[in-house]
Amino acid sequence: MGSPIVNLDLHGMFREDAIKSIDRALKNADDSTYQIKLIHGYNRGTSLKNMIIDEYKYHPKVLRIQPGDNLGITVLVLREL
């Protein structure tokens, strides 16, 4: 049984590396996982945040994308709690 919320730190990653990490987290998410919290930061721009929205808004495992607790976090909601 996995974790209900997976935290994934993307700080310092380039687009391709971030996509690989997110794809791995989505692949490893089991039925107990309902959110993947992507920590990308915001001080150096919004390129990772924009990439997350563009790449995962139609992903079959992602129910919706929502902002996190602060500007540097984006949450992939996989299912309702």
Side-chain angles (χ1 to χ4, degrees):
M1 183 172 203
S3 175
I5 300 175
V6 174
N7 293 308
L8 187 59
D9 190 350
L10 304 174
H11 282 99
M13 289 188 187
F14 291 107
R15 176 186 176 96
E16 295 79 20
D17 295 328
I19 288 172
K20 286 179 188 175
S21 294
I22 297 167
D23 287 347
R24 190 176 320 113
L26 284 167
K27 181 181 176 187
N28 293 333
D30 62 17
D31 290 340
S32 66
T33 304
Y34 69 93
Q35 284 185 357
I36 299 177
K37 190 180 289 189
L38 305 172
I39 306 159
H40 48 73
Y42 66 93
N43 285 333
R44 293 191 177 158
T46 60
S47 62
L48 281 180
K49 181 177 184 173
N50 293 338
M51 177 277 296
I52 292 165
I53 294 167
D54 291 342
E55 290 287 325
Y56 296 98
K57 63 184 168 189
Y58 298 118
H59 191 282
K61 278 194 164 184
V62 177
L63 182 62
R64 70 176 181 279
I65 300 173
Q66 67 186 34
D69 299 340
N70 66 53
L71 295 174
I73 296 174
T74 300
V75 179
L76 302 179
V77 178
L78 308 183
R79 66 178 181 82
E80 297 298 336
L81 179 60

